[in-house]
Amino acid sequence: MSTISTALIIPARTNEPVRVGPIETTLRNLQELVDGGIESVTRGDWHVYLNAEGVIKDLPPNVRAAQLMYDCGLDLAGAARGPAVFLGNDDHGGEQDVPDHLVRRAGELFGVPLAA
């Protein structure tokens, strides 16, 4: 079963735009978005998917995702390598749309208008 959720996607390369939009939250699609195997880190009403082997694969650091996570109370600067996909948590541990407060904060941090 596939579901569609609105995600905040932050590429590692700063010349690529941060974007908000609908994605299929299947394992395969999430792996494609982060360029490999995924790991998930949860904080409050949201979680972020990162490449599980980002350091081993020598993926570029994702300074924007690290800054957003830090600003929201999660200090994982070294783990943020490659693209990052932010989604919301539902009451049963499933995916849901990225929370508006996270999208707003990303827009403020990166100086770009974002809308969920």
Side-chain angles (χ1 to χ4, degrees), residues 27 49 76 78 108:
L27 176 60
Y49 286 108
L76 294 175
E108 291 166 359

Side-chain angles (χ1 to χ4, degrees), residues 21-108:
I23 65 164
E24 270 191 281
T25 58
T26 62
L27 176 60
R28 176 173 282 184
N29 193 48
L30 290 167
Q31 289 172 327
E32 287 178 18
L33 288 168
V34 301
D35 294 334
I38 61 172
E39 66 178 329
S40 176
V41 181
T42 300
R43 173 78 172 149
D45 62 349
W46 59 271
H47 58 279
V48 58
Y49 286 108
L50 302 166
N51 187 301
E53 297 176 332
V55 173
I56 296 167
K57 291 173 125 181
D58 199 27
L59 294 177
N62 193 327
V63 295
R64 294 180 295 185
Q67 179 60 46
L68 179 60
M69 288 187 283
Y70 182 80
D71 200 66
C72 294
L74 190 59
D75 189 5
L76 294 175
R81 291 190 166 259
V85 178
F86 291 82
L87 288 160
N89 301 326
D90 71 11
D91 293 334
H92 306 290
E95 313 289 2
Q96 69 179 25
D97 293 343
V98 63
D100 290 335
H101 68 86
L102 204 60
V103 173
R104 275 193 310 275
R105 189 64 194 130
E108 291 166 359

Side-chain angles (χ1 to χ4, degrees), residues 10-19 60-64 112:
I10 303 178
R13 300 193 195 297
T14 56
N15 63 339
E16 295 179 34
V18 174
R19 63 190 188 278
N62 193 327
V63 295
R64 294 180 295 185
V112 293

